[in-house]
Amino acid sequence: DIVEEGLSGLVLEESAAGLESGMERLAADDGLRNRLAAGAREAAARRFDLGAQARAVTEFYELVLGA
C-alpha cells in the first residue's frame, strides 16, 4: 500500500542482497531515482492532503457513531 513498485519506490527482497541490489539500481540510474522521488512526492501529497484527512476522520466518526 505504501510503496508502489516502480512508481514511488522499489519493493526489495528482504535480505542484505536484496537491499544491495536495490541500492545499486538507484545509484546507477539517475532517471529511476528522479521518477521514484517524484512519484513518492505525488503519492504523499495525495495521501496526506488536508482535505483527504478531514474526509477520512469524518467518515470514521460517522461509522463509529452510526450516522
Side-chain angles (χ1 to χ4, degrees):
D1 266 340
I2 294 173
V3 173
E4 298 170 274
E5 172 65 34
L7 298 174
S8 62
L10 300 175
V11 177
L12 305 173
E13 177 186 326
E14 293 184 26
S15 67
L19 178 60
E20 177 184 16
S21 173
M23 291 177 71
E24 286 175 346
R25 277 182 67 194
L26 291 172
D29 191 336
D30 291 341
L32 176 62
R33 273 195 322 274
N34 292 331
R35 285 191 306 277
L36 293 179
R41 274 191 300 276
E42 291 171 14
R46 281 192 313 272
R47 183 173 184 168
F48 298 109
D49 172 73
L50 184 57
Q53 293 298 311
R55 284 187 296 280
V57 170
T58 299
E59 290 172 9
F60 172 75
Y61 277 113
E62 288 173 348
L63 176 69
V64 170
L65 299 173

Short mmCIF file of all heavy atoms in Angstrom, two decimals:
data_model
loop_
_atom_site.label_atom_id
_atom_site.label_comp_id
_atom_site.label_asym_id
_atom_site.label_seq_id
_atom_site.Cartn_x
_atom_site.Cartn_y
_atom_site.Cartn_z
N ASP A 1 0.81 -1.20 0.00
CA ASP A 1 0.00 0.00 0.00
C ASP A 1 0.85 1.27 0.00
O ASP A 1 0.52 2.22 -0.68
CB ASP A 1 -0.89 0.04 1.23
CG ASP A 1 -2.27 -0.53 0.98
OD1 ASP A 1 -2.68 -0.61 -0.17
OD2 ASP A 1 -2.93 -0.87 1.98
N ILE A 2 1.90 1.27 0.77
CA ILE A 2 2.68 2.49 0.90
C ILE A 2 3.60 2.68 -0.30
O ILE A 2 3.67 3.75 -0.87
CB ILE A 2 3.49 2.49 2.21
CG1 ILE A 2 2.52 2.54 3.39
CG2 ILE A 2 4.46 3.65 2.26
CD1 ILE A 2 3.17 2.38 4.74
N VAL A 3 4.30 1.62 -0.69
CA VAL A 3 5.23 1.71 -1.83
C VAL A 3 4.59 1.05 -3.04
O VAL A 3 4.17 -0.10 -2.98
CB VAL A 3 6.57 1.02 -1.50
CG1 VAL A 3 7.46 0.97 -2.73
CG2 VAL A 3 7.26 1.71 -0.35
N GLU A 4 4.52 1.82 -4.12
CA GLU A 4 4.03 1.28 -5.38
C GLU A 4 5.26 0.97 -6.23
O GLU A 4 5.95 1.89 -6.67
CB GLU A 4 3.13 2.29 -6.08
CG GLU A 4 1.89 2.63 -5.28
CD GLU A 4 1.14 3.80 -5.89
OE1 GLU A 4 1.52 4.95 -5.56
OE2 GLU A 4 0.23 3.55 -6.69
N GLU A 5 5.50 -0.31 -6.45
CA GLU A 5 6.70 -0.76 -7.16
C GLU A 5 6.87 0.00 -8.47
O GLU A 5 5.98 0.03 -9.32
CB GLU A 5 6.62 -2.26 -7.44
CG GLU A 5 7.72 -2.79 -8.33
CD GLU A 5 9.11 -2.69 -7.71
OE1 GLU A 5 9.26 -2.81 -6.49
OE2 GLU A 5 10.06 -2.47 -8.48
N GLY A 6 8.03 0.63 -8.61
CA GLY A 6 8.36 1.33 -9.83
C GLY A 6 7.72 2.70 -9.98
O GLY A 6 8.04 3.43 -10.91
N LEU A 7 6.80 3.05 -9.08
CA LEU A 7 6.15 4.35 -9.14
C LEU A 7 6.60 5.27 -8.02
O LEU A 7 6.89 6.44 -8.23
CB LEU A 7 4.63 4.19 -9.10
CG LEU A 7 4.00 3.42 -10.26
CD1 LEU A 7 2.51 3.22 -10.01
CD2 LEU A 7 4.24 4.14 -11.57
N SER A 8 6.62 4.74 -6.79
CA SER A 8 7.02 5.56 -5.65
C SER A 8 8.16 4.92 -4.86
O SER A 8 8.56 5.42 -3.82
CB SER A 8 5.83 5.81 -4.72
OG SER A 8 5.34 4.60 -4.19
N GLY A 9 8.66 3.82 -5.34
CA GLY A 9 9.75 3.15 -4.65
C GLY A 9 10.02 1.79 -5.25
O GLY A 9 9.43 1.42 -6.27
N LEU A 10 10.88 1.05 -4.62
CA LEU A 10 11.22 -0.30 -5.03
C LEU A 10 10.84 -1.26 -3.92
O LEU A 10 11.10 -0.99 -2.75
CB LEU A 10 12.72 -0.43 -5.30
CG LEU A 10 13.32 0.46 -6.38
CD1 LEU A 10 14.84 0.28 -6.42
CD2 LEU A 10 12.71 0.14 -7.73
N VAL A 11 10.24 -2.36 -4.28
CA VAL A 11 9.95 -3.42 -3.32
C VAL A 11 11.11 -4.41 -3.44
O VAL A 11 11.33 -4.97 -4.51
CB VAL A 11 8.59 -4.10 -3.61
CG1 VAL A 11 8.36 -5.25 -2.65
CG2 VAL A 11 7.46 -3.08 -3.52
N LEU A 12 11.83 -4.56 -2.36
CA LEU A 12 13.06 -5.35 -2.39
C LEU A 12 12.90 -6.67 -1.65
O LEU A 12 12.08 -6.78 -0.74
CB LEU A 12 14.20 -4.56 -1.73
CG LEU A 12 14.47 -3.18 -2.31
CD1 LEU A 12 15.51 -2.46 -1.45
CD2 LEU A 12 14.92 -3.27 -3.75
N GLU A 13 13.71 -7.62 -2.04
CA GLU A 13 13.80 -8.88 -1.31
C GLU A 13 14.28 -8.55 0.10
O GLU A 13 15.17 -7.71 0.28
CB GLU A 13 14.82 -9.78 -2.01
CG GLU A 13 15.08 -11.08 -1.34
CD GLU A 13 16.20 -11.85 -2.02
OE1 GLU A 13 16.33 -11.76 -3.25
OE2 GLU A 13 16.94 -12.52 -1.29
N GLU A 14 13.69 -9.17 1.10
CA GLU A 14 14.03 -8.87 2.49
C GLU A 14 15.32 -9.58 2.90
O GLU A 14 15.30 -10.57 3.64
CB GLU A 14 12.88 -9.26 3.41
CG GLU A 14 11.66 -8.40 3.21
CD GLU A 14 10.55 -8.71 4.18
OE1 GLU A 14 10.83 -9.21 5.28
OE2 GLU A 14 9.40 -8.45 3.82
N SER A 15 16.42 -9.07 2.39
CA SER A 15 17.73 -9.62 2.72
C SER A 15 18.78 -8.57 2.43
O SER A 15 18.51 -7.57 1.76
CB SER A 15 18.02 -10.87 1.88
OG SER A 15 18.17 -10.50 0.51
N ALA A 16 19.96 -8.81 2.90
CA ALA A 16 21.07 -7.89 2.61
C ALA A 16 21.32 -7.83 1.11
O ALA A 16 21.58 -6.76 0.55
CB ALA A 16 22.32 -8.33 3.36
N ALA A 17 21.21 -8.96 0.44
CA ALA A 17 21.43 -9.00 -1.01
C ALA A 17 20.36 -8.19 -1.75
O ALA A 17 20.65 -7.50 -2.72
CB ALA A 17 21.44 -10.44 -1.51
N GLY A 18 19.13 -8.27 -1.26
CA GLY A 18 18.04 -7.50 -1.87
C GLY A 18 18.26 -6.01 -1.70
O GLY A 18 18.06 -5.23 -2.64
N LEU A 19 18.67 -5.61 -0.51
CA LEU A 19 18.96 -4.20 -0.25
C LEU A 19 20.11 -3.73 -1.12
O LEU A 19 20.06 -2.65 -1.72
CB LEU A 19 19.28 -4.00 1.23
CG LEU A 19 19.64 -2.58 1.65
CD1 LEU A 19 18.51 -1.60 1.34
CD2 LEU A 19 19.98 -2.54 3.13
N GLU A 20 21.14 -4.55 -1.20
CA GLU A 20 22.30 -4.19 -2.03
C GLU A 20 21.89 -4.01 -3.49
O GLU A 20 22.27 -3.03 -4.14
CB GLU A 20 23.37 -5.28 -1.92
CG GLU A 20 24.58 -5.02 -2.80
CD GLU A 20 25.59 -6.16 -2.75
OE1 GLU A 20 25.26 -7.26 -2.29
OE2 GLU A 20 26.72 -5.91 -3.21
N SER A 21 21.08 -4.91 -3.99
CA SER A 21 20.63 -4.85 -5.38
C SER A 21 19.83 -3.57 -5.64
O SER A 21 20.05 -2.88 -6.64
CB SER A 21 19.78 -6.08 -5.70
OG SER A 21 19.19 -5.96 -6.97
N GLY A 22 18.93 -3.24 -4.73
CA GLY A 22 18.12 -2.03 -4.89
C GLY A 22 18.97 -0.78 -4.84
O GLY A 22 18.78 0.15 -5.65
N MET A 23 19.91 -0.74 -3.92
CA MET A 23 20.79 0.43 -3.80
C MET A 23 21.67 0.58 -5.04
O MET A 23 21.88 1.70 -5.53
CB MET A 23 21.64 0.32 -2.54
CG MET A 23 20.80 0.47 -1.27
SD MET A 23 21.76 0.26 0.24
CE MET A 23 22.72 1.76 0.21
N GLU A 24 22.13 -0.53 -5.59
CA GLU A 24 22.94 -0.47 -6.80
C GLU A 24 22.12 0.06 -7.97
O GLU A 24 22.60 0.86 -8.77
CB GLU A 24 23.52 -1.84 -7.12
CG GLU A 24 24.65 -2.23 -6.21
CD GLU A 24 25.16 -3.65 -6.45
OE1 GLU A 24 24.47 -4.45 -7.14
OE2 GLU A 24 26.24 -3.96 -5.91
N ARG A 25 20.86 -0.40 -8.08
CA ARG A 25 19.99 0.10 -9.15
C ARG A 25 19.79 1.60 -9.04
O ARG A 25 19.88 2.33 -10.03
CB ARG A 25 18.60 -0.56 -9.07
CG ARG A 25 18.51 -1.91 -9.70
CD ARG A 25 17.11 -2.47 -9.64
NE ARG A 25 16.17 -1.70 -10.44
CZ ARG A 25 14.85 -1.81 -10.35
NH1 ARG A 25 14.31 -2.63 -9.47
NH2 ARG A 25 14.06 -1.08 -11.12
N LEU A 26 19.53 2.08 -7.83
CA LEU A 26 19.30 3.51 -7.64
C LEU A 26 20.58 4.32 -7.88
O LEU A 26 20.52 5.41 -8.47
CB LEU A 26 18.77 3.77 -6.23
CG LEU A 26 17.36 3.26 -5.97
CD1 LEU A 26 17.01 3.40 -4.50
CD2 LEU A 26 16.35 3.98 -6.84
N ALA A 27 21.71 3.81 -7.45
CA ALA A 27 22.97 4.52 -7.64
C ALA A 27 23.33 4.63 -9.12
O ALA A 27 23.92 5.64 -9.54
CB ALA A 27 24.09 3.82 -6.87
N ALA A 28 22.95 3.64 -9.91
CA ALA A 28 23.34 3.60 -11.31
C ALA A 28 22.37 4.30 -12.25
O ALA A 28 22.70 4.54 -13.41
CB ALA A 28 23.49 2.13 -11.75
N ASP A 29 21.17 4.64 -11.78
CA ASP A 29 20.13 5.13 -12.68
C ASP A 29 19.52 6.43 -12.18
O ASP A 29 18.58 6.43 -11.37
CB ASP A 29 19.06 4.04 -12.84
CG ASP A 29 18.06 4.32 -13.94
OD1 ASP A 29 17.87 5.50 -14.31
OD2 ASP A 29 17.46 3.34 -14.42
N ASP A 30 20.04 7.55 -12.68
CA ASP A 30 19.53 8.86 -12.27
C ASP A 30 18.05 9.01 -12.61
O ASP A 30 17.28 9.56 -11.82
CB ASP A 30 20.29 9.99 -12.97
CG ASP A 30 21.72 10.13 -12.50
OD1 ASP A 30 22.04 9.63 -11.41
OD2 ASP A 30 22.51 10.76 -13.24
N GLY A 31 17.65 8.56 -13.78
CA GLY A 31 16.26 8.68 -14.21
C GLY A 31 15.33 7.94 -13.27
O GLY A 31 14.26 8.45 -12.91
N LEU A 32 15.70 6.73 -12.89
CA LEU A 32 14.88 5.94 -11.97
C LEU A 32 14.76 6.66 -10.63
O LEU A 32 13.66 6.79 -10.09
CB LEU A 32 15.50 4.55 -11.77
CG LEU A 32 14.80 3.65 -10.75
CD1 LEU A 32 13.36 3.36 -11.19
CD2 LEU A 32 15.58 2.36 -10.57
N ARG A 33 15.88 7.15 -10.11
CA ARG A 33 15.84 7.88 -8.83
C ARG A 33 14.90 9.07 -8.92
O ARG A 33 14.09 9.29 -8.03
CB ARG A 33 17.25 8.38 -8.46
CG ARG A 33 18.07 7.40 -7.70
CD ARG A 33 19.27 8.06 -7.03
NE ARG A 33 19.94 9.10 -7.79
CZ ARG A 33 20.88 8.88 -8.69
NH1 ARG A 33 21.26 7.65 -8.98
NH2 ARG A 33 21.45 9.90 -9.32
N ASN A 34 15.00 9.83 -9.99
CA ASN A 34 14.16 11.03 -10.15
C ASN A 34 12.69 10.66 -10.29
O ASN A 34 11.83 11.33 -9.72
CB ASN A 34 14.64 11.86 -11.33
CG ASN A 34 15.99 12.50 -11.07
OD1 ASN A 34 16.35 12.78 -9.94
ND2 ASN A 34 16.75 12.71 -12.13
N ARG A 35 12.38 9.63 -11.07
CA ARG A 35 10.99 9.19 -11.24
C ARG A 35 10.39 8.71 -9.92
O ARG A 35 9.26 9.05 -9.58
CB ARG A 35 10.89 8.08 -12.29
CG ARG A 35 11.03 8.58 -13.72
CD ARG A 35 10.66 7.50 -14.73
NE ARG A 35 11.39 6.25 -14.54
CZ ARG A 35 12.62 6.01 -15.02
NH1 ARG A 35 13.27 6.94 -15.69
NH2 ARG A 35 13.20 4.84 -14.83
N LEU A 36 11.16 7.91 -9.18
CA LEU A 36 10.66 7.40 -7.90
C LEU A 36 10.47 8.54 -6.90
O LEU A 36 9.48 8.55 -6.16
CB LEU A 36 11.62 6.35 -7.33
CG LEU A 36 11.73 5.05 -8.11
CD1 LEU A 36 12.74 4.11 -7.44
CD2 LEU A 36 10.38 4.36 -8.28
N ALA A 37 11.39 9.49 -6.88
CA ALA A 37 11.27 10.62 -5.96
C ALA A 37 10.02 11.43 -6.29
O ALA A 37 9.24 11.79 -5.39
CB ALA A 37 12.51 11.50 -6.03
N ALA A 38 9.80 11.71 -7.57
CA ALA A 38 8.61 12.47 -7.98
C ALA A 38 7.34 11.69 -7.67
O ALA A 38 6.36 12.25 -7.16
CB ALA A 38 8.68 12.80 -9.47
N GLY A 39 7.35 10.40 -7.94
CA GLY A 39 6.18 9.57 -7.64
C GLY A 39 5.88 9.50 -6.15
O GLY A 39 4.72 9.54 -5.74
N ALA A 40 6.92 9.41 -5.33
CA ALA A 40 6.72 9.36 -3.88
C ALA A 40 6.17 10.69 -3.36
O ALA A 40 5.29 10.70 -2.50
CB ALA A 40 8.04 9.02 -3.19
N ARG A 41 6.68 11.82 -3.92
CA ARG A 41 6.15 13.13 -3.51
C ARG A 41 4.67 13.25 -3.86
O ARG A 41 3.86 13.71 -3.04
CB ARG A 41 6.92 14.25 -4.20
CG ARG A 41 8.17 14.68 -3.49
CD ARG A 41 8.75 15.96 -4.08
NE ARG A 41 9.11 15.83 -5.48
CZ ARG A 41 10.26 15.35 -5.92
NH1 ARG A 41 11.18 14.93 -5.06
NH2 ARG A 41 10.52 15.27 -7.19
N GLU A 42 4.30 12.84 -5.07
CA GLU A 42 2.90 12.91 -5.50
C GLU A 42 2.01 12.02 -4.64
O GLU A 42 0.92 12.42 -4.24
CB GLU A 42 2.78 12.53 -6.97
CG GLU A 42 3.39 13.54 -7.91
CD GLU A 42 3.46 13.04 -9.34
OE1 GLU A 42 2.81 12.03 -9.67
OE2 GLU A 42 4.18 13.67 -10.14
N ALA A 43 2.47 10.81 -4.36
CA ALA A 43 1.69 9.89 -3.53
C ALA A 43 1.49 10.45 -2.12
O ALA A 43 0.39 10.36 -1.56
CB ALA A 43 2.36 8.52 -3.48
N ALA A 44 2.54 11.02 -1.55
CA ALA A 44 2.44 11.60 -0.21
C ALA A 44 1.50 12.79 -0.20
O ALA A 44 0.70 12.96 0.73
CB ALA A 44 3.82 12.00 0.30
N ALA A 45 1.57 13.61 -1.24
CA ALA A 45 0.69 14.78 -1.31
C ALA A 45 -0.77 14.36 -1.39
O ALA A 45 -1.64 14.96 -0.75
CB ALA A 45 1.06 15.65 -2.52
N ARG A 46 -1.05 13.30 -2.15
CA ARG A 46 -2.43 12.78 -2.25
C ARG A 46 -2.87 12.18 -0.92
O ARG A 46 -3.96 12.44 -0.43
CB ARG A 46 -2.54 11.72 -3.34
CG ARG A 46 -2.62 12.25 -4.74
CD ARG A 46 -3.01 11.15 -5.72
NE ARG A 46 -2.26 9.91 -5.56
CZ ARG A 46 -1.10 9.64 -6.15
NH1 ARG A 46 -0.54 10.54 -6.93
NH2 ARG A 46 -0.50 8.49 -5.96
N ARG A 47 -2.03 11.35 -0.36
CA ARG A 47 -2.40 10.61 0.85
C ARG A 47 -2.55 11.53 2.06
O ARG A 47 -3.42 11.30 2.91
CB ARG A 47 -1.34 9.55 1.14
CG ARG A 47 -1.68 8.71 2.33
CD ARG A 47 -0.74 7.58 2.49
NE ARG A 47 -1.19 6.77 3.61
CZ ARG A 47 -0.74 5.60 3.89
NH1 ARG A 47 0.17 5.05 3.13
NH2 ARG A 47 -1.18 4.94 4.93
N PHE A 48 -1.71 12.53 2.18
CA PHE A 48 -1.72 13.38 3.36
C PHE A 48 -2.33 14.75 3.11
O PHE A 48 -2.15 15.66 3.92
CB PHE A 48 -0.29 13.49 3.91
CG PHE A 48 0.25 12.16 4.34
CD1 PHE A 48 1.25 11.54 3.61
CD2 PHE A 48 -0.28 11.50 5.44
CE1 PHE A 48 1.74 10.29 3.99
CE2 PHE A 48 0.20 10.25 5.82
CZ PHE A 48 1.22 9.65 5.09
N ASP A 49 -3.06 14.89 2.03
CA ASP A 49 -3.78 16.12 1.73
C ASP A 49 -4.74 16.42 2.88
O ASP A 49 -5.43 15.51 3.39
CB ASP A 49 -4.56 15.94 0.42
CG ASP A 49 -5.49 17.08 0.13
OD1 ASP A 49 -5.00 18.16 -0.21
OD2 ASP A 49 -6.72 16.87 0.28
N LEU A 50 -4.80 17.68 3.31
CA LEU A 50 -5.63 18.05 4.45
C LEU A 50 -7.10 17.70 4.21
O LEU A 50 -7.78 17.17 5.10
CB LEU A 50 -5.48 19.54 4.74
CG LEU A 50 -6.23 20.06 5.96
CD1 LEU A 50 -5.81 19.31 7.22
CD2 LEU A 50 -5.98 21.55 6.14
N GLY A 51 -7.60 17.93 3.02
CA GLY A 51 -8.99 17.60 2.71
C GLY A 51 -9.24 16.11 2.80
O GLY A 51 -10.27 15.67 3.33
N ALA A 52 -8.31 15.31 2.29
CA ALA A 52 -8.45 13.85 2.35
C ALA A 52 -8.44 13.37 3.79
O ALA A 52 -9.21 12.47 4.17
CB ALA A 52 -7.35 13.18 1.54
N GLN A 53 -7.56 13.96 4.60
CA GLN A 53 -7.50 13.57 6.01
C GLN A 53 -8.79 13.95 6.74
O GLN A 53 -9.31 13.16 7.53
CB GLN A 53 -6.30 14.24 6.70
CG GLN A 53 -4.96 13.73 6.19
CD GLN A 53 -4.77 12.26 6.45
OE1 GLN A 53 -4.98 11.77 7.55
NE2 GLN A 53 -4.38 11.52 5.43
N ALA A 54 -9.33 15.12 6.46
CA ALA A 54 -10.58 15.56 7.09
C ALA A 54 -11.72 14.63 6.70
O ALA A 54 -12.54 14.25 7.54
CB ALA A 54 -10.89 17.00 6.71
N ARG A 55 -11.78 14.25 5.42
CA ARG A 55 -12.83 13.32 4.97
C ARG A 55 -12.70 11.97 5.67
O ARG A 55 -13.69 11.37 6.09
CB ARG A 55 -12.79 13.16 3.45
CG ARG A 55 -13.36 14.34 2.70
CD ARG A 55 -13.47 14.07 1.21
NE ARG A 55 -12.17 13.87 0.57
CZ ARG A 55 -11.35 14.85 0.21
NH1 ARG A 55 -11.68 16.11 0.44
NH2 ARG A 55 -10.20 14.58 -0.37
N ALA A 56 -11.47 11.48 5.80
CA ALA A 56 -11.25 10.18 6.44
C ALA A 56 -11.69 10.22 7.90
O ALA A 56 -12.33 9.27 8.40
CB ALA A 56 -9.79 9.78 6.33
N VAL A 57 -11.37 11.29 8.61
CA VAL A 57 -11.77 11.42 10.02
C VAL A 57 -13.28 11.51 10.12
O VAL A 57 -13.91 10.86 10.97
CB VAL A 57 -11.08 12.63 10.68
CG1 VAL A 57 -11.68 12.92 12.05
CG2 VAL A 57 -9.58 12.39 10.80
N THR A 58 -13.90 12.29 9.24
CA THR A 58 -15.36 12.42 9.24
C THR A 58 -16.02 11.08 8.97
O THR A 58 -16.97 10.70 9.67
CB THR A 58 -15.80 13.45 8.18
OG1 THR A 58 -15.22 14.71 8.50
CG2 THR A 58 -17.31 13.59 8.13
N GLU A 59 -15.52 10.34 7.99
CA GLU A 59 -16.07 9.02 7.68
C GLU A 59 -15.92 8.07 8.87
O GLU A 59 -16.82 7.29 9.18
CB GLU A 59 -15.40 8.44 6.44
CG GLU A 59 -15.78 9.14 5.18
CD GLU A 59 -14.97 8.68 3.97
OE1 GLU A 59 -14.22 7.68 4.09
OE2 GLU A 59 -15.10 9.32 2.90
N PHE A 60 -14.79 8.14 9.56
CA PHE A 60 -14.56 7.30 10.71
C PHE A 60 -15.58 7.60 11.79
O PHE A 60 -16.21 6.71 12.35
CB PHE A 60 -13.14 7.50 11.25
CG PHE A 60 -12.90 6.78 12.55
CD1 PHE A 60 -12.73 5.42 12.58
CD2 PHE A 60 -12.88 7.49 13.74
CE1 PHE A 60 -12.53 4.76 13.79
CE2 PHE A 60 -12.67 6.85 14.95
CZ PHE A 60 -12.50 5.46 14.97
N TYR A 61 -15.77 8.89 12.11
CA TYR A 61 -16.73 9.25 13.15
C TYR A 61 -18.15 8.88 12.75
O TYR A 61 -18.94 8.42 13.59
CB TYR A 61 -16.65 10.76 13.47
CG TYR A 61 -15.54 11.07 14.44
CD1 TYR A 61 -14.42 11.81 14.04
CD2 TYR A 61 -15.59 10.63 15.75
CE1 TYR A 61 -13.39 12.09 14.92
CE2 TYR A 61 -14.57 10.91 16.65
CZ TYR A 61 -13.48 11.63 16.22
OH TYR A 61 -12.47 11.91 17.09
N GLU A 62 -18.49 9.04 11.49
CA GLU A 62 -19.82 8.64 11.04
C GLU A 62 -20.02 7.13 11.19
O GLU A 62 -21.09 6.68 11.60
CB GLU A 62 -20.03 9.07 9.59
CG GLU A 62 -20.22 10.56 9.42
CD GLU A 62 -20.27 11.01 7.98
OE1 GLU A 62 -19.95 10.20 7.06
OE2 GLU A 62 -20.63 12.18 7.75
N LEU A 63 -18.99 6.37 10.90
CA LEU A 63 -19.06 4.92 11.06
C LEU A 63 -19.21 4.54 12.53
O LEU A 63 -20.09 3.74 12.89
CB LEU A 63 -17.80 4.27 10.49
CG LEU A 63 -17.68 2.76 10.66
CD1 LEU A 63 -18.71 2.06 9.80
CD2 LEU A 63 -16.28 2.29 10.30
N VAL A 64 -18.41 5.13 13.38
CA VAL A 64 -18.43 4.81 14.81
C VAL A 64 -19.75 5.25 15.45
O VAL A 64 -20.32 4.52 16.27
CB VAL A 64 -17.24 5.47 15.53
CG1 VAL A 64 -17.37 5.37 17.04
CG2 VAL A 64 -15.92 4.85 15.07
N LEU A 65 -20.24 6.41 15.07
CA LEU A 65 -21.45 6.94 15.67
C LEU A 65 -22.73 6.46 14.98
O LEU A 65 -23.82 6.76 15.44
CB LEU A 65 -21.41 8.48 15.68
CG LEU A 65 -20.25 9.08 16.47
CD1 LEU A 65 -20.21 10.58 16.26
CD2 LEU A 65 -20.35 8.73 17.93
N GLY A 66 -22.55 5.73 13.89
CA GLY A 66 -23.71 5.21 13.17
C GLY A 66 -24.53 6.28 12.48
O GLY A 66 -25.73 6.12 12.30
N ALA A 67 -23.88 7.34 12.08
CA ALA A 67 -24.61 8.45 11.44
C ALA A 67 -24.86 8.16 9.98
O ALA A 67 -24.26 7.40 9.33
CB ALA A 67 -23.80 9.75 11.58
#
